[in-house]
Amino acid sequence: MVTTIGIDPHKATHTAVAIDESERVLDEVTVQANRSQLKTLVDWAQQLDGDGRIWAVEAAGGLGYLLSQQLGAQGERVVDVPPVLASRVRVLGSGKSDKNDPNDARSVAIAALRQPGLAVVRREDHAQILRMLAKRHLELTGLRTQAVCRLHSVLVLLR
């Protein structure tokens, strides 16, 4: 049995709800969004029964970016659930839109369980990104220096 863990991320806290393949809630937890968030969540998830787990993070490119990248770096399987999809699951599943963190996290988990083809979160190579930014900065600095030198030579001719 694969456990699906839905996460509703916020600036201060993250709420996680684990469900089984029949959408039964196994457990839920709310953790502080700080340095120990990853360890706390992984320790909590390891106590759950199952053959494996899939982490479903709502808006993994937004508020859930750091957590989803941390989970991916740990070798966990992480999928990105769009907020609109999670909202539809919440409204259609219950007939009402009770918006609270555990309901949102459960909706994220159900959406990941039932929706095929969700985007899998890939670990980004931050070193490569920083190299590209540094290279572009050097190029821009070189162009600025070149423009200043040309301007100086024109001003010297005007004397």
Side-chain angles (χ1 to χ4, degrees), residues 20-31:
D20 62 11
E21 293 168 343
S22 63
E23 299 179 11
R24 184 174 54 93
V25 175
L26 302 173
D27 198 7
E28 69 180 57
V29 68
T30 299
V31 299

Side-chain angles (χ1 to χ4, degrees), residues 30 33 38 46 48 53 65 71-72 76 80 88 93 96 112 125 130-131 149 155:
T30 299
L38 179 65
Q46 286 175 344
L48 301 170
R53 60 182 170 255
Y65 177 77
L71 288 167
E76 300 283 344
D80 181 14
R88 286 181 186 158
K96 52 190 171 187
D125 186 3
L130 288 174
R131 273 195 288 288
C149 289
L155 290 175

Side-chain angles (χ1 to χ4, degrees), residues 124-152:
E124 293 186 17
D125 186 3
H126 295 290
Q128 179 64 24
I129 293 170
L130 288 174
R131 273 195 288 288
M132 288 178 7
L133 289 172
K135 181 180 177 188
R136 181 65 181 147
H137 177 72
L138 287 173
E139 290 171 353
L140 289 173
T141 304
L143 289 172
R144 180 190 175 281
T145 303
Q146 186 180 40
V148 168
C149 289
R150 285 181 180 167
L151 180 63
H152 181 264

Side-chain angles (χ1 to χ4, degrees), residues 23-64:
E23 299 179 11
R24 184 174 54 93
V25 175
L26 302 173
D27 198 7
E28 69 180 57
V29 68
T30 299
V31 299
Q32 295 296 316
N34 58 25
R35 275 185 237 173
S36 63
Q37 67 187 8
L38 179 65
K39 182 181 179 339
T40 305
L41 280 172
V42 171
D43 289 348
W44 168 77
Q46 286 175 344
Q47 73 173 349
L48 301 170
D49 293 331
D51 298 327
R53 60 182 170 255
I54 298 174
W55 298 84
V57 180
E58 183 179 32
L63 278 175

